[in-house]
Structure formats: C-alpha cells, structure tokens
Amino acid sequence: QVPVHSFCCIHRGNILMGGAAESSILSAGGPASVKYAMQNSSTVPVKAIEVTLTEIVRFSAQGHHSSSSTALFHTRLSPQDAGLDQALRPLENGSQVGDLMALRDMLESDRFKVNFNIPAGARNTYNGSIIHVEHSLMIKVITTFGSANPTLQRPIQMFSRARP
C-alpha cells in the first residue's frame, strides 16, 4: 500500500499495488510475462500503468566510474486497456483484508498480464569486480499532474539461453 500525495504533502489516500514476473529468471531472446494489480483507494485518478524491464551496466576501476541504462521493454497501458477497476472502494470491516484478497486474485488471474519478448542482445546478469550488469522490473502507476506516481521495482536475473 502506497500513500499518494499531491504537491509533496497533501495526503490523497492510498493505492494498493502488486506485480511480478511469472519467473524471476528470464532468458535473453525468450518470452516473458509480467502480472500487475492495483486498487485505487485515493482521490487521485489513475491515467496509466507502465511496465518497464531495464538493464543497467556499471563499470568501476581505478577511481573511474561509468554506467548506462537501457530499457529492454516498456509499455504504457490506459486503465481501460489494463482492465483495472478505478472506482473507489471502502475497506471491508475497517481492515485491508478484502483489498489484499482482491489484489491476490488479480495477480493469480491471466487477465492482468503483459506478454513480451526479451531482446536477444540482452546481457546476462553479472556481478564482477569491475563490471556489474543488473536487471530491474518496474511497475509504475501514473497519476495526474502534481501527484506522486507509486512504483514497484524488483531485481530480475537474466541469462542467455544454452546453445546446442
């Protein structure tokens, strides 16, 4: 559950969100699926849901540092395309149990899912003494101007497919 603020300090309610790749280990050149879920209990309208898979390469040697970031996949879904219920709902019996169960049901459903192919040129996840290659899955709820955009970000492992 993420609090939503407008202009950094005016509380507008909460957005309950979740998401996950169907596998936390992905393969370069292979298919991937990301499931997402969101329940808007704030007064701020949701404009879109963004799903991004990013590759970050960091270099560090003899006091020199460099990094680059590449979006391996990015999509922006309208609330209608994402199939999300944007209506405000009160919490059941003053608790969050009902909303958490609804979120779980959404994440278990294939209705709230984005399928895509990972580029064959994606690098393997690697953590060496000089070079680090990291991958990150980000699901962001885009709200109106002046309001915070709640974000989930999780590390993902990427490996090349074995070649015969």
Side-chain angles (χ1 to χ4, degrees):
Q1 187 162 337
V2 181
V4 178
H5 294 90
S6 292
F7 301 105
C8 82
C9 58
I10 303 169
H11 184 67
R12 299 291 187 194
N14 297 306
I15 291 181
L16 184 64
M17 59 186 295
E22 286 194 316
S23 173
S24 63
I25 300 175
L26 302 177
S27 175
S33 296
V34 173
K35 292 187 174 188
Y36 55 87
M38 187 218 47
Q39 175 58 49
N40 187 4
S41 297
S42 75
T43 57
V44 176
V46 171
K47 293 171 51 178
I49 303 286
E50 289 186 350
V51 177
T52 307
L53 178 63
T54 305
E55 178 178 87
I56 303 114
V57 178
R58 291 187 172 94
F59 165 82
S60 177
Q62 297 180 352
H64 299 280
H65 305 282
S66 182
S67 66
S68 69
S69 178
T70 304
L72 299 176
F73 172 77
H74 176 82
T75 190
R76 184 178 176 118
L77 304 167
S78 72
Q80 296 77 24
D81 291 341
L84 297 172
D85 176 17
Q86 296 301 304
L88 294 174
R89 289 189 324 172
L91 299 175
E92 287 186 12
N93 301 325
S95 74
Q96 298 173 352
V97 174
D99 281 349
L100 290 174
M101 290 174 65
L103 196 71
R104 181 205 61 208
D105 292 344
M106 290 175 75
L107 287 172
E108 290 177 354
S109 166
D110 281 342
R111 182 174 169 214
F112 307 100
K113 179 165 83 170
V114 175
N115 297 310
F116 59 97
N117 287 316
I118 297 171
R123 295 172 178 88
N124 289 341
T125 300
Y126 178 76
N127 191 12
S129 60
I130 297 174
I131 296 175
H132 302 274
V133 181
E134 303 169 6
H135 297 88
S136 176
L137 173 65
M138 182 175 67
I139 301 172
K140 182 186 285 189
V141 177
I142 306 299
T143 60
T144 55
F145 174 77
S147 296
N149 294 323
T151 303
L152 285 177
Q153 193 161 352
R154 298 288 181 260
I156 297 288
Q157 300 294 308
M158 182 82 61
F159 295 100
S160 298
R161 289 185 166 186
R163 292 187 171 85

